[in-house]
Amino acid sequence: MTDKKPMGKTIAIANQKGGVGKTTTAINLAASLAMNGKSVLLIDADPQANATSGLGVEPKQMTSSIYECLVDDYPMQSAAVPTCVEGLNIVGSRIDLVGAEVELVTKEQRETVLRRAVAGVKDQYDYVLIDCSPSLGLITVNALTAADSVIIPVQAEYFALEGISKLLNTVRIIKSKLNQGLRIEGFLLTMYDARLRLANQIYEELKSHFGDMVFNTVIPRNIKLSEAPSHGLPAILYDPSSRGATSHMQLAKEMIAKDRGTR
């Protein structure tokens, strides 16, 4: 008798500070996990829909999106579409997601709508990643309530650690009231430039504050990472040998190895 496939792990990628590389991480980590033979679903929970277009999916051509899943209880598996990466599906986003925030307010158990939607697909994927918007609104609260863990991208710059305490406080509240199992998957240093003393100081500061919760992998500043989304491709397909592509591949391997040790 074969063992039943374990339920997939749901990971929110969140930081209410904009411009820290959240969507870049979501796209490229999802693609790298898929390239490592994992089945992956990426949920674009940001009205800007950058993860959707960054994987070559045209929001206007989608028949359904995360909006319908949240507001109309549309089944998530029906909303999932394949991407340019084998093994990676996406539930895309559109600008109308902005309205979902308001419409969810009157919904019963409004904080757990996404968790219920994800429950229907969790056993079909190894990983479900949620790209959150740069805010701590109701949709991000839904994402954190649906998640097993959260990756917090931190930009290697002066004000990087500002705002982390606000996010950690939100995580604490959600853990105590809505999702006891929520934990920090890891802090991920992004836009890292090894030549800058400041970047190294920030890495050391993160390590001294959060220890093992900081990923060993850091994501460098890399032009190919910035160019790839405009071609509708993750870096691993746009330029596989670029530092942006190889660092996300390393991050995927680090995560898989860690999961092997804990599952």
Side-chain angles (χ1 to χ4, degrees):
M1 203 170 122
T2 55
D3 286 345
K4 192 175 181 292
K5 183 175 176 283
M7 279 222 170
K9 184 177 182 181
T10 305
I11 304 169
I13 299 166
N15 189 331
Q16 80 279 9
K17 195 172 184 296
V20 297
K22 250 192 329 291
T23 300
T24 300
T25 301
I27 291 171
N28 290 288
L29 175 57
S32 299
L33 286 166
M35 298 288 256
N36 273 285
K38 302 294 176 185
S39 55
V40 185
L41 178 66
L42 175 58
I43 299 169
D44 189 349
D46 185 347
Q48 294 174 82
N50 290 336
T52 305
S53 58
L55 281 168
V57 176
E58 177 50 61
K60 288 192 187 89
Q61 288 171 357
M62 297 185 308
T63 53
S64 55
S65 68
I66 185 64
Y67 174 88
E68 283 80 10
C69 298
L70 292 172
V71 175
D72 304 325
D73 300 320
Y74 190 77
M76 192 160 270
Q77 193 50 34
S78 303
V81 294
T83 66
C84 51
V85 181
E86 196 179 335
L88 170 59
N89 288 351
I90 187 167
V91 173
S93 178
R94 283 193 287 249
I95 192 68
D96 60 5
L97 187 60
V98 171
E101 197 91 21
V102 178
E103 291 177 65
L104 281 175
V105 170
T106 56
K107 219 171 158 96
E108 218 173 298
Q109 296 180 304
R110 59 190 185 186
E111 295 91 355
T112 59
V113 176
L114 186 56
R115 177 160 70 196
R116 295 196 299 274
V118 169
V121 295
K122 218 175 168 179
D123 60 348
Q124 295 167 41
Y125 295 96
D126 296 310
Y127 290 95
V128 177
L129 302 186
I130 309 171
D131 182 28
C132 298
S133 67
S135 77
L136 291 177
L138 191 48
I139 293 174
T140 300
V141 168
N142 259 273
L144 293 171
T145 304
D148 299 306
S149 61
V150 55
I151 289 175
I152 303 171
V154 181
Q155 193 177 352
E157 59 153 40
Y158 186 64
F159 293 114
L161 302 180
E162 255 189 27
I164 284 185
S165 58
K166 200 174 171 186
L167 179 63
L168 291 178
N169 195 40
T170 303
V171 168
R172 260 193 300 274
I173 292 166
I174 286 170
K175 206 175 154 83
S176 67
K177 296 193 185 324
L178 295 162
N179 182 5
Q180 286 185 341
L182 182 64
R183 58 182 192 80
I184 306 288
E185 184 72 29
F187 292 87
L188 175 68
L189 199 63
T190 61
M191 303 180 195
Y192 179 79
D193 186 341
R195 297 166 303 180
L196 300 179
R197 209 166 92 212
L198 178 66
N200 294 301
Q201 279 171 350
I202 286 161
Y203 185 72
E204 291 310 318
E205 208 170 322
L206 266 180
K207 271 288 195 195
S208 70
H209 273 77
F210 302 110
D212 286 347
M213 284 197 283
V214 182
F215 284 108
N216 294 323
T217 306
V218 298
I219 307 299
R221 275 195 182 280
N222 180 248
I223 193 74
K224 300 293 183 190
L225 269 183
S226 313
E227 287 173 0
S230 64
H231 296 269
L233 294 169
I236 197 81
L237 292 185
Y238 179 64
D239 186 347
S241 62
S242 65
R243 281 169 64 237
T246 54
S247 61
H248 282 97
M249 198 48 121
Q250 197 179 325
L251 175 64
K253 287 185 191 317
E254 186 178 342
M255 268 179 59
I256 292 165
K258 201 162 92 173
D259 284 341
R260 241 179 237 133
T262 55
R263 278 193 188 187

